[in-house]
Amino acid sequence: MNILGISCYYHDSAACLLQDGRIVSAAQEERFNRRKNSSDFPLMAANYCLQAGNVTINDIDYIGFYEKPFLKFSRVVLSHLRSYPFSLPNFLSTMPHWLQDRLIMPMIFKRELGYEGKSIFIKHHLSHAASAFLVSPFEEAAILTADSVGEWATTTMGSGCNSEIKILNEIHFPDSLGLLYTAITTYLGFAADEGEGKVMGLAAYGKPRYIEALRNIVVVRADGSFIIDQRFFGFNTGFRMYSRKFVAMFGPARVPDGLLEERHCDMAASLQLFIEETLISIARNLYRITKSDNLCLAGGVFLNCVANSRIIEETPFKNIFIQPAAGDSGGAIGVASYMYHSLLGNQRDSIMNDTYLGPDYSANQVRRALASAGLDFREMEDGALSEYVAERIAQNKIVGWFQGRMEFGPVRWGTVQSSPTR
Ligand SMILES: [Fe+2]
């Protein structure tokens, strides 16, 4: 059975081909069209996936889409109405996208891929949950997802057993750790959905002296659920994600590429600490509910490897699996796996052991590409190459290394055995 999973139209568009429950190929569209975090329909990625599986679109039994467009649309409309009239420009600018593609996905599958077969749509956070649990080595596990927002959910707590996934609790928009992180990322002068990793790195240079102020803005309850004081933010206006009130409290925002001051580093440190504490609190509560030794994580918030390492160290879970493509690209794997295992009832017998799921290129293809680009190059034997590269690294030079299949997702994959709880 062939199932094509698709995620697109927000960021990190991707496709994945599942053959009899095994992931044979997965790739992000950005690697083909060379636009980072591309939100385009993943046509080239899908075509690559089909080719890697030696099938055509006519061999596909189901296309799975990583969210429910109409449910998401209802949230977009309602939340824009709540912030009317400030949200009007943003609302008007996004409407054409909804009408031209997001709400007519079966027609898009036909137009882009020539596909007229069965398609399924599952909730965004279920795709995230499935992308972690169903490809993990665990028969049963607790599942935690967190991102900016799917349809309504921004954070879910659930559990998985064999091929079944249960969502036990959800936190809804606009209370969102992902949006909070992105809003402050833009306040610090970095791009939304792109600069969050820089803020995580910047945090190491600062002191968390704004942590109490953040705790007053975002109230975290004992069970880890939280409420964000929306007077400090503007998640819907499209103008900027933080409000005048936020600026009045913390000072003017940093302009992009402007000087990085101590207070910027301190804000990054405060945000990072706040996110870490909140995720640990949610994970501990999930452990209390599920009593499972195993935890699966997915959703863009779990691209935060510093927070992940604290979850591993400071919660009672013994084993942790993090979907390597924790952001929206991984939803393509999630929906395809959910279709095959959870909806069609097929047993799980395939674990995601690595992320080398994209195209590879032969030495001849590389030679041709270099020659046609008019670049100087020379070929070396393995031993001499290693020596040459090691020397350059020792001289503080930067080395790019290309080998084998392209990785799927931006971070290293892994199942981790945690040390005893502290
Ligand atoms: Fe997401």
Side-chain angles (χ1 to χ4, degrees), residues 262-328:
E262 197 177 313
R263 68 185 183 94
H264 299 133
C265 301
D266 292 347
M267 174 53 84
S270 308
L271 172 66
Q272 179 64 27
L273 179 62
F274 179 79
I275 291 291
E276 290 166 15
E277 287 178 346
T278 308
L279 289 175
I280 289 168
S281 171
I282 296 171
R284 282 179 180 158
N285 185 57
L286 183 57
Y287 177 80
R288 277 193 289 274
I289 296 167
T290 62
K291 293 285 186 291
S292 174
D293 282 342
N294 309 317
L295 175 65
C296 292
L297 302 173
V301 169
F302 295 109
L303 294 174
N304 192 313
C305 52
V306 180
N308 293 350
S309 67
R310 285 199 60 188
I311 293 170
I312 291 163
E313 293 294 324
E314 298 179 43
T315 66
F317 292 105
K318 292 193 171 74
N319 310 296
I320 293 188
F321 180 89
I322 305 165
Q323 164 55 240
D328 281 0

Side-chain angles (χ1 to χ4, degrees), residues 124-125 128 147 149 299-300 327-328:
H124 186 89
H125 275 255
H128 278 314
D147 68 358
V149 60
D328 281 0

Side-chain angles (χ1 to χ4, degrees), residues 12 23 27 48 50-52 65 73 100 103 115 171 179 196 202 217 219 271 274 283 287 291 340 421:
D12 301 332
I23 305 166
Y48 155 71
L50 295 175
Q51 181 201 328
F65 192 64
F73 185 62
Q100 286 161 18
L103 290 175
Y115 179 80
I171 296 170
L179 287 173
E196 287 82 352
L202 188 64
I217 292 174
V219 176
L271 172 66
F274 179 79
Y287 177 80
K291 293 285 186 291
Y340 187 76
T421 310

